[in-house]
Amino acid sequence: MKRILAILLFSVLFVISLSANNDPSTSRMVSGKIVDKQTGETLAGVKVQIKGTNTFCYSDMDGAFSLSAPTSSEVIIDMVGYESTTVKARELSLGSDIVLNPR
């Protein structure tokens, strides 16, 4: 009986510890607008990816993007014809403008 209680207690603690790793404070919503440095026009179709993952999105017709990223991650902004840039997720806030330099 003690053994069953010990296994049950261990299982409950294990599940609680796993759910603690999904703390929303460790990730944040990053969003903004991608802009051409020379013209000031917004850029559609820019790939915004969390470095080292398969998580990404593309900017829409207004240059806007939005995705959830771990606070400690880096975000890569890349488009053909422009210099790629990397920004730390914690430095981005909702509505950040990111300026890309043409090559």
Side-chain angles (χ1 to χ4, degrees):
M1 184 67 159
K2 288 182 183 181
R3 185 175 182 172
I4 293 173
L5 286 175
I7 291 172
L8 181 60
L9 179 62
F10 176 80
S11 299
V12 169
L13 292 175
F14 180 73
V15 169
I16 290 171
S17 71
L18 286 178
S19 65
N21 289 334
N22 294 328
D23 183 5
S25 66
T26 61
S27 67
R28 64 185 302 153
M29 183 62 69
V30 293
S31 66
K33 186 171 50 173
I34 313 290
V35 179
D36 181 296
K37 183 175 183 172
Q38 291 180 342
T39 66
E41 294 181 14
T42 58
L43 298 171
V46 178
K47 186 176 184 179
V48 181
Q49 181 173 8
I50 299 172
K51 188 174 183 178
T53 72
N54 290 327
T55 304
F56 64 91
C57 68
Y58 289 95
S59 61
D60 65 14
M61 295 302 291
D62 297 319
F65 71 92
S66 178
L67 95 146
S68 181
T71 306
S72 61
S73 67
E74 293 182 322
V75 179
I76 301 168
I77 297 96
D78 190 35
M79 183 175 186
V80 174
Y82 289 85
E83 294 176 6
S84 178
T85 187
T86 303
V87 182
K88 294 183 190 274
R90 69 176 165 266
E91 294 173 1
L92 290 174
S93 61
L94 293 175
S96 295
D97 282 353
I98 298 172
V99 180
L100 289 185
N101 293 312
R103 285 189 180 159

Coordinates of all heavy atoms in Angstrom, one line a residue:
M1 N 0.8 -1.2 0.0 CA 0.0 0.0 0.0 C 0.9 1.3 0.0 O 0.6 2.2 -0.7 CB -0.9 0.0 1.2 CG -1.9 1.1 1.3 SD -3.0 1.0 -0.1 CE -4.3 1.9 0.5
K2 N 1.9 1.3 0.8 CA 2.8 2.4 0.9 C 3.5 2.6 -0.5 O 3.7 3.7 -0.9 CB 3.9 2.2 2.0 CG 3.3 2.3 3.3 CD 4.5 2.2 4.4 CE 3.9 2.2 5.8 NZ 5.0 2.1 6.8
R3 N 3.8 1.5 -1.1 CA 4.5 1.6 -2.4 C 3.5 2.3 -3.5 O 4.0 3.1 -4.3 CB 4.9 0.2 -2.9 CG 5.7 0.2 -4.2 CD 6.1 -1.2 -4.5 NE 6.9 -1.1 -5.7 CZ 7.6 -2.1 -6.2 NH1 7.6 -3.2 -5.5 NH2 8.3 -2.0 -7.3
I4 N 2.3 1.9 -3.5 CA 1.3 2.5 -4.4 C 1.1 4.0 -4.1 O 1.1 4.8 -5.0 CB -0.1 1.8 -4.3 CG1 0.1 0.3 -4.8 CG2 -1.1 2.5 -5.1 CD1 -1.1 -0.5 -4.6
L5 N 1.1 4.4 -2.8 CA 1.0 5.8 -2.5 C 2.2 6.6 -2.9 O 2.1 7.7 -3.4 CB 0.7 5.9 -1.0 CG -0.7 5.6 -0.5 CD1 -0.7 5.7 1.0 CD2 -1.7 6.5 -1.1
A6 N 3.4 6.0 -2.8 CA 4.6 6.6 -3.2 C 4.7 6.8 -4.7 O 5.1 7.9 -5.2 CB 5.8 5.8 -2.7
I7 N 4.3 5.8 -5.4 CA 4.2 5.9 -6.9 C 3.2 7.0 -7.3 O 3.5 7.8 -8.2 CB 3.9 4.5 -7.5 CG1 5.1 3.6 -7.3 CG2 3.6 4.7 -9.0 CD1 4.8 2.2 -7.7
L8 N 2.1 7.0 -6.7 CA 1.0 8.0 -7.0 C 1.5 9.4 -6.7 O 1.4 10.3 -7.5 CB -0.2 7.7 -6.2 CG -1.4 8.6 -6.5 CD1 -1.8 8.6 -7.9 CD2 -2.6 8.2 -5.6
L9 N 2.2 9.6 -5.6 CA 2.7 10.9 -5.2 C 3.8 11.3 -6.2 O 3.8 12.5 -6.6 CB 3.3 10.8 -3.8 CG 3.9 12.1 -3.2 CD1 2.9 13.2 -3.2 CD2 4.5 11.9 -1.9
F10 N 4.7 10.4 -6.5 CA 5.7 10.7 -7.5 C 5.1 11.1 -8.8 O 5.6 12.1 -9.5 CB 6.7 9.5 -7.6 CG 7.7 9.7 -8.7 CD1 8.8 10.4 -8.4 CD2 7.5 9.2 -10.0 CE1 9.8 10.7 -9.4 CE2 8.5 9.4 -10.9 CZ 9.6 10.1 -10.7
S11 N 4.1 10.4 -9.3 CA 3.5 10.7 -10.5 C 2.8 12.1 -10.5 O 3.0 12.9 -11.5 CB 2.4 9.7 -10.9 OG 3.0 8.4 -11.0
V12 N 2.2 12.4 -9.5 CA 1.6 13.8 -9.4 C 2.6 14.8 -9.4 O 2.5 15.9 -10.1 CB 0.7 13.9 -8.1 CG1 0.3 15.3 -7.8 CG2 -0.5 12.9 -8.2
L13 N 3.7 14.7 -8.6 CA 4.8 15.7 -8.6 C 5.4 15.8 -10.0 O 5.8 16.9 -10.4 CB 5.8 15.3 -7.5 CG 5.3 15.4 -6.1 CD1 6.4 14.9 -5.1 CD2 4.9 16.9 -5.8
F14 N 5.6 14.7 -10.7 CA 6.2 14.7 -12.0 C 5.3 15.5 -12.9 O 5.8 16.3 -13.7 CB 6.4 13.3 -12.5 CG 7.0 13.2 -13.8 CD1 8.4 13.5 -14.0 CD2 6.3 12.8 -14.9 CE1 8.9 13.4 -15.3 CE2 6.8 12.8 -16.2 CZ 8.2 13.0 -16.4
V15 N 4.0 15.3 -12.9 CA 3.1 16.0 -13.8 C 3.1 17.5 -13.5 O 3.2 18.4 -14.4 CB 1.7 15.5 -13.7 CG1 0.7 16.4 -14.4 CG2 1.6 14.1 -14.3
I16 N 3.2 17.8 -12.2 CA 3.3 19.3 -11.8 C 4.6 19.9 -12.3 O 4.6 21.0 -12.8 CB 3.1 19.4 -10.3 CG1 1.7 19.0 -9.9 CG2 3.5 20.8 -9.8 CD1 1.5 18.9 -8.4
S17 N 5.7 19.2 -12.2 CA 6.9 19.7 -12.7 C 6.9 19.9 -14.2 O 7.5 20.9 -14.7 CB 8.1 18.9 -12.2 OG 8.1 17.7 -13.0
L18 N 6.3 19.1 -14.9 CA 6.2 19.2 -16.4 C 5.4 20.4 -16.7 O 5.7 21.2 -17.6 CB 5.6 18.0 -17.0 CG 6.5 16.8 -17.1 CD1 5.8 15.6 -17.8 CD2 7.8 17.1 -17.9
S19 N 4.3 20.6 -16.1 CA 3.4 21.8 -16.4 C 4.1 23.1 -16.0 O 3.9 24.1 -16.6 CB 2.1 21.7 -15.7 OG 2.2 21.7 -14.3
A20 N 5.0 23.1 -15.0 CA 5.7 24.3 -14.6 C 6.7 24.8 -15.7 O 6.9 25.9 -15.8 CB 6.5 24.0 -13.4
N21 N 7.1 23.9 -16.6 CA 8.0 24.2 -17.7 C 7.2 25.0 -18.8 O 7.8 25.5 -19.7 CB 8.7 23.0 -18.3 CG 9.7 22.5 -17.4 OD1 10.3 23.2 -16.5 ND2 10.0 21.2 -17.5
N22 N 5.9 25.0 -18.8 CA 5.1 25.7 -19.8 C 4.7 27.0 -19.3 O 3.6 27.5 -19.7 CB 3.9 24.8 -20.1 CG 4.3 23.5 -20.8 OD1 5.3 23.5 -21.5 ND2 3.5 22.5 -20.6
D23 N 5.5 27.6 -18.4 CA 5.2 28.9 -17.9 C 5.1 30.0 -19.0 O 6.1 30.2 -19.7 CB 6.3 29.3 -16.9 CG 6.0 30.6 -16.2 OD1 5.0 31.2 -16.4 OD2 6.9 31.0 -15.4
P24 N 4.0 30.7 -19.1 CA 3.9 31.7 -20.2 C 4.8 32.8 -20.1 O 5.1 33.5 -21.0 CB 2.4 32.1 -20.1 CG 1.9 31.6 -18.8 CD 2.8 30.5 -18.3
S25 N 5.4 33.0 -18.9 CA 6.3 34.1 -18.7 C 7.7 33.9 -19.4 O 8.5 34.8 -19.6 CB 6.6 34.4 -17.2 OG 7.2 33.4 -16.6
T26 N 7.9 32.6 -19.8 CA 9.1 32.3 -20.6 C 9.0 32.5 -22.0 O 10.0 32.4 -22.8 CB 9.6 30.9 -20.3 OG1 8.6 30.0 -20.8 CG2 9.8 30.6 -18.8
S27 N 7.8 32.8 -22.5 CA 7.7 33.2 -23.9 C 6.8 34.4 -24.0 O 6.2 34.8 -23.1 CB 7.0 32.0 -24.7 OG 5.7 31.8 -24.3
R28 N 7.0 35.1 -25.2 CA 6.2 36.3 -25.4 C 5.8 36.4 -26.8 O 6.4 35.8 -27.7 CB 7.1 37.5 -25.0 CG 8.3 37.6 -25.9 CD 9.3 38.7 -25.5 NE 8.7 40.0 -25.5 CZ 9.1 41.0 -24.8 NH1 10.2 40.8 -24.0 NH2 8.5 42.2 -24.8
M29 N 4.8 37.2 -27.0 CA 4.3 37.5 -28.4 C 5.1 38.6 -28.9 O 5.3 39.7 -28.3 CB 2.8 37.9 -28.3 CG 2.2 38.1 -29.7 SD 2.2 36.7 -30.8 CE 1.1 35.7 -30.0
V30 N 5.8 38.4 -30.1 CA 6.5 39.4 -30.7 C 5.8 39.7 -32.0 O 5.3 38.9 -32.7 CB 8.0 39.0 -31.0 CG1 8.8 38.9 -29.7 CG2 8.1 37.7 -31.8
S31 N 5.7 41.0 -32.3 CA 5.0 41.4 -33.5 C 5.5 42.8 -33.9 O 6.2 43.4 -33.2 CB 3.5 41.5 -33.3 OG 3.2 42.6 -32.3
G32 N 5.3 43.1 -35.2 CA 5.7 44.4 -35.6 C 5.5 44.5 -37.1 O 4.6 43.9 -37.7
K33 N 6.3 45.4 -37.7 CA 6.1 45.8 -39.1 C 7.5 45.8 -39.7 O 8.4 46.4 -39.1 CB 5.4 47.1 -39.2 CG 5.1 47.5 -40.6 CD 4.2 48.8 -40.6 CE 4.7 49.9 -39.7 NZ 4.0 51.1 -39.9
I34 N 7.7 45.2 -40.9 CA 9.0 45.2 -41.6 C 8.9 46.4 -42.6 O 8.0 46.5 -43.4 CB 9.2 43.9 -42.3 CG1 8.9 42.7 -41.4 CG2 10.6 43.8 -42.9 CD1 9.8 42.4 -40.3
V35 N 10.0 47.2 -42.6 CA 10.1 48.4 -43.4 C 11.4 48.4 -44.2 O 12.4 48.0 -43.7 CB 10.0 49.6 -42.5 CG1 10.0 50.9 -43.3 CG2 8.7 49.6 -41.7
D36 N 11.3 48.8 -45.5 CA 12.5 49.0 -46.3 C 13.2 50.3 -45.8 O 12.6 51.4 -45.7 CB 12.1 49.2 -47.8 CG 13.2 49.4 -48.7 OD1 13.9 50.4 -48.6 OD2 13.5 48.5 -49.6
K37 N 14.5 50.2 -45.6 CA 15.3 51.4 -45.1 C 15.3 52.5 -46.1 O 15.2 53.7 -45.7 CB 16.7 51.0 -44.7 CG 17.5 52.1 -44.1 CD 18.8 51.7 -43.7 CE 19.5 52.9 -43.0 NZ 20.8 52.4 -42.4
Q38 N 15.4 52.3 -47.3 CA 15.6 53.3 -48.3 C 14.2 54.0 -48.7 O 14.2 55.2 -48.8 CB 16.2 52.8 -49.6 CG 17.6 52.4 -49.4 CD 18.3 51.9 -50.7 OE1 17.6 51.5 -51.7 NE2 19.6 51.9 -50.8
T39 N 13.2 53.2 -48.8 CA 11.9 53.8 -49.3 C 10.9 54.1 -48.2 O 10.0 54.8 -48.3 CB 11.2 52.9 -50.3 OG1 10.9 51.7 -49.6 CG2 12.1 52.6 -51.5
G40 N 11.1 53.4 -47.0 CA 10.2 53.5 -45.9 C 8.9 52.7 -46.1 O 8.0 52.8 -45.3
E41 N 8.8 52.0 -47.2 CA 7.6 51.2 -47.5 C 7.7 49.9 -46.7 O 8.7 49.3 -46.5 CB 7.6 50.9 -49.0 CG 7.3 52.1 -49.9 CD 7.2 51.8 -51.4 OE1 7.1 50.6 -51.7 OE2 7.3 52.7 -52.2
T42 N 6.5 49.4 -46.4 CA 6.4 48.1 -45.7 C 6.7 47.0 -46.7 O 6.5 47.1 -47.9 CB 5.0 47.9 -45.1 OG1 4.0 48.0 -46.1 CG2 4.7 49.0 -44.0
L43 N 7.2 45.9 -46.1 CA 7.6 44.7 -47.0 C 6.7 43.5 -46.6 O 6.7 43.1 -45.5 CB 9.0 44.4 -46.7 CG 10.1 45.5 -47.1 CD1 11.4 45.1 -46.6 CD2 10.1 45.7 -48.6
A44 N 6.1 43.0 -47.7 CA 5.3 41.8 -47.5 C 6.1 40.5 -47.9 O 7.1 40.6 -48.7 CB 4.1 41.8 -48.5
G45 N 5.8 39.4 -47.3 CA 6.5 38.2 -47.6 C 7.9 38.0 -46.9 O 8.7 37.2 -47.4
V46 N 8.2 38.8 -45.9 CA 9.4 38.6 -45.2 C 9.3 37.5 -44.2 O 8.3 37.4 -43.4 CB 9.8 39.9 -44.4 CG1 11.1 39.8 -43.6 CG2 9.9 41.1 -45.4
K47 N 10.3 36.6 -44.2 CA 10.3 35.4 -43.2 C 10.8 35.9 -41.9 O 11.9 36.4 -41.8 CB 11.1 34.3 -43.8 CG 11.0 33.0 -43.0 CD 11.8 31.9 -43.6 CE 11.7 30.6 -42.8 NZ 12.4 29.5 -43.5
V48 N 10.0 35.6 -40.8 CA 10.4 35.9 -39.5 C 10.4 34.5 -38.7 O 9.4 33.9 -38.6 CB 9.4 36.8 -38.8 CG1 9.8 37.1 -37.4 CG2 9.2 38.1 -39.6
Q49 N 11.6 34.1 -38.3 CA 11.8 32.8 -37.8 C 12.6 32.8 -36.5 O 13.5 33.6 -36.3 CB 12.6 31.9 -38.8 CG 12.8 30.5 -38.3 CD 13.5 29.6 -39.4 OE1 13.9 30.1 -40.4 NE2 13.5 28.3 -39.1
I50 N 12.1 31.9 -35.6 CA 12.8 31.7 -34.3 C 14.1 30.9 -34.6 O 14.0 29.8 -35.1 CB 12.0 31.1 -33.2 CG1 10.7 31.9 -33.0 CG2 12.7 30.8 -32.0 CD1 9.7 31.3 -32.1
K51 N 15.2 31.5 -34.3 CA 16.5 30.8 -34.6 C 16.6 29.4 -34.0 O 16.3 29.2 -32.9 CB 17.6 31.7 -34.1 CG 19.0 31.2 -34.5 CD 20.1 32.2 -34.1 CE 21.4 31.8 -34.6 NZ 22.5 32.7 -34.2
G52 N 17.0 28.5 -34.8 CA 17.2 27.1 -34.4 C 15.9 26.3 -34.3 O 16.0 25.2 -33.8
T53 N 14.8 26.8 -34.8 CA 13.6 26.1 -34.8 C 12.9 26.1 -36.1 O 13.4 26.8 -37.1 CB 12.6 26.7 -33.7 OG1 12.1 27.9 -34.3 CG2 13.2 26.9 -32.4
N54 N 11.8 25.4 -36.2 CA 11.0 25.4 -37.5 C 9.8 26.4 -37.3 O 8.8 26.3 -38.1 CB 10.5 24.0 -37.8 CG 11.6 23.1 -38.3 OD1 12.6 23.6 -38.9 ND2 11.6 21.9 -38.0
T55 N 9.8 27.2 -36.3 CA 8.7 28.1 -36.0 C 9.0 29.4 -36.8 O 10.0 30.1 -36.5 CB 8.6 28.4 -34.5 OG1 8.4 27.2 -33.8 CG2 7.4 29.3 -34.2
F56 N 8.1 29.8 -37.6 CA 8.2 31.0 -38.4 C 6.9 31.5 -38.9 O 5.9 30.8 -38.8 CB 9.2 30.8 -39.6 CG 8.7 29.8 -40.6 CD1 7.9 30.3 -41.7 CD2 8.9 28.5 -40.5 CE1 7.4 29.4 -42.7 CE2 8.4 27.6 -41.4 CZ 7.7 28.0 -42.5
C57 N 6.9 32.7 -39.4 CA 5.7 33.3 -40.1 C 6.2 34.2 -41.2 O 7.5 34.5 -41.3 CB 4.8 34.0 -39.1 SG 5.6 35.5 -38.5
Y58 N 5.3 34.7 -42.0 CA 5.7 35.7 -43.0 C 4.9 37.0 -42.8 O 3.8 36.9 -42.3 CB 5.4 35.1 -44.4 CG 6.3 34.0 -44.9 CD1 5.9 32.7 -44.7 CD2 7.5 34.3 -45.4 CE1 6.8 31.7 -45.1 CE2 8.3 33.3 -45.9 CZ 8.0 32.0 -45.7 OH 8.8 31.0 -46.1
S59 N 5.5 38.1 -43.1 CA 4.8 39.4 -43.0 C 3.7 39.4 -44.0 O 3.8 38.9 -45.1 CB 5.8 40.5 -43.1 OG 6.4 40.6 -44.4
D60 N 2.6 40.1 -43.6 CA 1.5 40.2 -44.5 C 1.6 41.3 -45.5 O 2.7 41.9 -45.6 CB 0.2 40.3 -43.7 CG 0.1 41.6 -42.9 OD1 0.8 42.5 -43.1 OD2 -0.8 41.6 -42.0
M61 N 0.6 41.7 -46.2 CA 0.6 42.7 -47.2 C 1.0 44.1 -46.7 O 1.5 45.0 -47.4 CB -0.7 42.8 -48.0 CG -1.1 41.6 -48.8 SD 0.2 41.2 -50.0 CE -0.1 42.5 -51.2
D62 N 0.7 44.3 -45.4 CA 1.1 45.6 -44.7 C 2.4 45.5 -44.0 O 2.7 46.4 -43.2 CB 0.0 45.9 -43.7 CG -1.4 46.2 -44.4 OD1 -1.4 46.8 -45.5 OD2 -2.4 45.7 -43.8
G63 N 3.2 44.4 -44.2 CA 4.5 44.3 -43.6 C 4.4 43.8 -42.1 O 5.4 43.7 -41.4
A64 N 3.2 43.5 -41.7 CA 3.0 43.1 -40.2 C 3.2 41.6 -40.0 O 3.0 40.8 -40.9 CB 1.5 43.4 -39.8
F65 N 3.8 41.3 -38.9 CA 4.0 39.9 -38.5 C 3.7 39.7 -37.0 O 3.6 40.7 -36.3 CB 5.4 39.4 -38.7 CG 6.4 40.1 -37.8 CD1 6.8 39.5 -36.6 CD2 7.0 41.3 -38.1 CE1 7.7 40.1 -35.8 CE2 7.9 41.9 -37.2 CZ 8.2 41.3 -36.1
S66 N 3.4 38.5 -36.6 CA 3.2 38.2 -35.2 C 3.5 36.7 -34.9 O 3.0 35.9 -35.7 CB 1.7 38.5 -34.9 OG 1.4 38.2 -33.5
L67 N 4.2 36.4 -33.9 CA 4.5 35.1 -33.5 C 4.9 35.0 -32.0 O 5.4 36.0 -31.5 CB 5.4 34.4 -34.4 CG 6.9 34.2 -34.2 CD1 7.3 32.9 -34.8 CD2 7.7 35.2 -35.0
S68 N 4.7 33.8 -31.4 CA 5.1 33.6 -30.0 C 6.6 33.1 -30.0 O 6.9 32.1 -30.8 CB 4.2 32.7 -29.4 OG 4.6 32.5 -28.0
A69 N 7.4 33.7 -29.2 CA 8.8 33.3 -29.2 C 9.3 33.2 -27.7 O 8.9 34.0 -26.9 CB 9.7 34.3 -29.9
P70 N 10.1 32.2 -27.4 CA 10.7 32.1 -26.1 C 11.5 33.4 -25.8 O 12.2 33.9 -26.7 CB 11.6 30.9 -26.1 CG 11.1 30.1 -27.2 CD 10.5 31.0 -28.2
T71 N 11.4 33.9 -24.6 CA 12.1 35.2 -24.3 C 13.6 35.1 -24.5 O 14.2 36.1 -24.9 CB 11.8 35.5 -22.8 OG1 10.4 35.5 -22.5 CG2 12.4 36.9 -22.4
S72 N 14.2 34.0 -24.3 CA 15.7 33.9 -24.5 C 16.1 33.6 -25.9 O 17.3 33.5 -26.2 CB 16.2 32.8 -23.6 OG 15.6 31.5 -24.0
S73 N 15.1 33.5 -26.9 CA 15.5 33.2 -28.2 C 15.9 34.4 -29.1 O 15.8 35.5 -28.6 CB 14.3 32.5 -28.9 OG 13.2 33.4 -29.1
E74 N 16.4 34.1 -30.3 CA 16.7 35.1 -31.2 C 15.7 34.9 -32.4 O 15.4 33.8 -32.8 CB 18.1 35.0 -31.7 CG 19.1 35.3 -30.6 CD 20.6 35.3 -31.1 OE1 20.9 34.4 -31.9 OE2 21.4 36.1 -30.7
V75 N 15.4 36.1 -33.0 CA 14.5 36.0 -34.2 C 15.2 36.5 -35.4 O 15.9 37.5 -35.4 CB 13.3 37.0 -33.9 CG1 12.3 37.0 -35.1 CG2 12.5 36.5 -32.6
I76 N 15.2 35.7 -36.5 CA 15.8 36.0 -37.7 C 14.8 36.6 -38.7 O 13.8 36.0 -38.9 CB 16.5 34.7 -38.3 CG1 17.5 34.1 -37.4 CG2 17.1 35.1 -39.7 CD1 17.9 32.7 -37.7
I77 N 15.1 37.7 -39.3 CA 14.3 38.4 -40.2 C 15.0 38.3 -41.6 O 16.1 38.8 -41.7 CB 13.9 39.8 -39.8 CG1 13.1 39.8 -38.5 CG2 13.1 40.5 -40.9 CD1 13.9 40.0 -37.3
D78 N 14.4 37.7 -42.6 CA 15.1 37.4 -43.8 C 14.2 37.6 -45.0 O 13.1 37.1 -45.0 CB 15.7 36.0 -43.8 CG 16.7 35.7 -44.9 OD1 17.4 36.6 -45.3 OD2 16.7 34.5 -45.3
M79 N 14.7 38.2 -46.1 CA 14.0 38.3 -47.4 C 15.0 38.4 -48.5 O 16.1 39.1 -48.3 CB 13.1 39.5 -47.4 CG 12.3 39.6 -48.6 SD 11.1 41.0 -48.5 CE 10.2 40.8 -50.0
V80 N 14.8 37.8 -49.6 CA 15.6 37.9 -50.8 C 15.8 39.3 -51.2 O 14.8 40.1 -51.2 CB 15.0 37.0 -51.9 CG1 15.9 37.2 -53.2 CG2 15.0 35.6 -51.6
G81 N 17.0 39.7 -51.4 CA 17.3 41.1 -51.8 C 17.6 42.0 -50.7 O 17.9 43.2 -50.9
Y82 N 17.5 41.5 -49.4 CA 17.8 42.3 -48.3 C 18.8 41.6 -47.4 O 18.9 40.4 -47.4 CB 16.5 42.6 -47.5 CG 15.5 43.5 -48.2 CD1 14.6 43.1 -49.2 CD2 15.5 44.9 -47.9 CE1 13.8 43.9 -49.8 CE2 14.7 45.8 -48.6 CZ 13.8 45.3 -49.5 OH 13.0 46.1 -50.2
E83 N 19.5 42.4 -46.6 CA 20.4 41.9 -45.6 C 19.6 41.2 -44.5 O 18.6 41.8 -43.9 CB 21.3 43.0 -45.0 CG 22.2 43.6 -46.0 CD 23.1 44.7 -45.4 OE1 23.0 45.0 -44.2 OE2 23.8 45.3 -46.2
S84 N 19.9 40.0 -44.1 CA 19.3 39.3 -43.0 C 19.7 40.0 -41.7 O 20.8 40.5 -41.6 CB 19.7 37.9 -43.0 OG 19.1 37.2 -41.9
T85 N 18.7 40.0 -40.8 CA 19.0 40.6 -39.5 C 18.5 39.7 -38.4 O 17.6 38.9 -38.6 CB 18.4 42.0 -39.3 OG1 18.9 42.6 -38.1 CG2 16.9 42.0 -39.3
T86 N 19.2 39.7 -37.2 CA 18.8 38.8 -36.1 C 18.6 39.8 -34.9 O 19.4 40.6 -34.6 CB 19.9 37.8 -35.8 OG1 20.2 37.0 -36.9 CG2 19.5 36.9 -34.6
V87 N 17.5 39.6 -34.2 CA 17.1 40.4 -33.1 C 16.8 39.5 -31.9 O 16.1 38.4 -32.1 CB 15.9 41.3 -33.4 CG1 15.5 42.2 -32.3 CG2 16.1 42.1 -34.7
K88 N 17.1 39.8 -30.7 CA 16.8 39.1 -29.5 C 15.3 39.3 -29.3 O 14.8 40.4 -29.3 CB 17.6 39.5 -28.3 CG 19.1 39.1 -28.5 CD 19.8 39.5 -27.3 CE 21.3 39.4 -27.5 NZ 21.9 38.2 -27.3
A89 N 14.6 38.2 -29.0 CA 13.1 38.3 -28.7 C 12.8 39.2 -27.6 O 11.8 40.0 -27.7 CB 12.5 36.9 -28.5
R90 N 13.6 39.2 -26.6 CA 13.3 40.1 -25.4 C 13.4 41.6 -25.8 O 12.9 42.5 -25.1 CB 14.1 39.7 -24.2 CG 15.6 40.1 -24.3 CD 16.4 39.7 -23.0 NE 17.8 39.7 -23.3 CZ 18.5 38.6 -23.5 NH1 17.8 37.4 -23.6 NH2 19.8 38.6 -23.7
E91 N 14.1 41.9 -26.9 CA 14.3 43.3 -27.3 C 13.1 43.8 -28.2 O 12.9 44.9 -28.4 CB 15.6 43.5 -28.1 CG 16.8 43.3 -27.2 CD 18.1 43.3 -27.9 OE1 18.1 43.5 -29.2 OE2 19.1 43.1 -27.3
L92 N 12.3 42.8 -28.7 CA 11.2 43.1 -29.5 C 9.9 43.3 -28.6 O 9.8 42.6 -27.6 CB 10.8 42.0 -30.5 CG 11.8 41.8 -31.6 CD1 11.4 40.6 -32.4 CD2 11.8 43.0 -32.5
S93 N 9.1 44.3 -28.9 CA 7.9 44.5 -28.2 C 6.8 44.4 -29.2 O 7.0 44.4 -30.4 CB 7.9 45.8 -27.4 OG 8.0 46.8 -28.3
L94 N 5.6 44.4 -28.7 CA 4.4 44.4 -29.6 C 4.5 45.7 -30.4 O 4.6 46.8 -29.9 CB 3.1 44.3 -28.8 CG 2.9 43.0 -28.1 CD1 1.6 43.1 -27.3 CD2 2.8 41.8 -29.1
G95 N 4.4 45.5 -31.7 CA 4.4 46.6 -32.6 C 5.8 47.2 -33.0 O 5.8 48.3 -33.5
S96 N 6.8 46.5 -32.8 CA 8.2 47.0 -33.2 C 8.3 47.1 -34.7 O 7.8 46.3 -35.4 CB 9.2 46.0 -32.7 OG 9.3 45.9 -31.3
D97 N 9.0 48.2 -35.1 CA 9.3 48.3 -36.5 C 10.7 47.8 -36.7 O 11.6 48.1 -36.0 CB 9.3 49.8 -36.9 CG 7.9 50.3 -37.2 OD1 6.9 49.5 -37.1 OD2 7.7 51.5 -37.4
I98 N 10.9 46.9 -37.8 CA 12.2 46.4 -38.1 C 12.5 46.9 -39.5 O 11.8 46.7 -40.4 CB 12.2 44.9 -38.0 CG1 11.8 44.4 -36.6 CG2 13.5 44.3 -38.5 CD1 11.6 42.9 -36.5
V99 N 13.7 47.5 -39.6 CA 14.1 48.1 -40.8 C 15.1 47.2 -41.5 O 16.1 46.8 -40.9 CB 14.7 49.5 -40.6 CG1 15.2 50.1 -41.9 CG2 13.7 50.4 -39.9
L100 N 14.8 46.8 -42.8 CA 15.8 46.0 -43.5 C 16.5 46.8 -44.6 O 15.9 47.7 -45.2 CB 15.0 44.9 -44.2 CG 14.4 43.8 -43.4 CD1 13.8 42.7 -44.2 CD2 15.5 43.1 -42.4
N101 N 17.8 46.5 -44.7 CA 18.7 47.2 -45.7 C 18.7 46.4 -47.0 O 19.0 45.2 -46.9 CB 20.1 47.3 -45.1 CG 20.2 48.2 -43.9 OD1 19.7 49.3 -43.9 ND2 20.9 47.8 -42.9
P102 N 18.4 47.1 -48.1 CA 18.6 46.4 -49.4 C 20.0 46.0 -49.6 O 20.9 46.7 -49.1 CB 18.1 47.4 -50.4 CG 17.4 48.4 -49.6 CD 17.9 48.4 -48.3
R103 N 20.2 44.9 -50.3 CA 21.6 44.5 -50.7 C 22.1 45.3 -51.8 O 21.5 45.8 -52.6 CB 21.6 43.0 -51.0 CG 21.5 42.2 -49.8 CD 21.8 40.7 -50.1 NE 21.6 40.0 -48.8 CZ 21.3 38.7 -48.7 NH1 21.2 38.0 -49.8 NH2 21.2 38.2 -47.6

